[in-house]
Amino acid sequence: MARVGKNSPLNDLSGQLGKQLVLKQYADKTGVSAYPDMSKVKPTGLQLARRAIFGEAVAYAKAINNNPTTKAEYLEKLAPGQTVYHFAMQEYFTNHP
């Protein structure tokens, strides 16, 4: 993995640049690597099941967030700094283990 110099404009950045480069932070250094090729990785049955549950949770949270009536009800339940979407996601995972 290549390292970025201290005076580089890429220093202190993290994330991906297109689907070609990945910038990572390691303590006080920034590393650059190739974007991973995950095309040959096959998910396990448990991973597929968890992804399906997560997809259901996203659909549930979006439905609540897009309905003004239920969104208003949820706004009353929120703690400071919490969003309706994330509260609904948390609620779904709590009620559907």
Side-chain angles (χ1 to χ4, degrees):
M1 176 183 337
R3 291 190 212 150
V4 176
K6 298 241 183 243
N7 293 328
S8 172
L10 298 178
N11 197 26
D12 296 328
L13 291 178
S14 64
Q16 68 183 33
L17 297 173
K19 294 214 177 214
Q20 296 180 354
L21 295 176
V22 178
L23 299 163
K24 302 175 185 179
Q25 295 296 323
Y26 297 102
D28 61 341
K29 294 180 172 52
T30 303
V32 181
S33 63
Y35 189 84
D37 178 15
M38 303 295 285
S39 63
K40 295 179 182 171
V41 177
K42 302 295 182 214
T44 65
L46 184 58
Q47 286 174 322
L48 292 173
R50 297 291 184 189
R51 289 176 187 178
I53 292 170
F54 191 83
E56 293 169 5
V58 168
Y60 175 77
K62 282 184 177 182
I64 289 173
N65 209 22
N66 291 334
N67 185 335
T69 307
T70 54
K71 185 173 183 176
E73 293 172 7
Y74 273 74
L75 283 171
E76 297 172 4
K77 302 177 187 179
L78 298 180
Q82 203 171 22
T83 66
V84 171
Y85 179 83
H86 290 110
F87 184 83
M89 291 280 287
Q90 181 180 4
E91 179 184 62
Y92 186 87
F93 289 129
T94 302
N95 296 331
H96 299 87

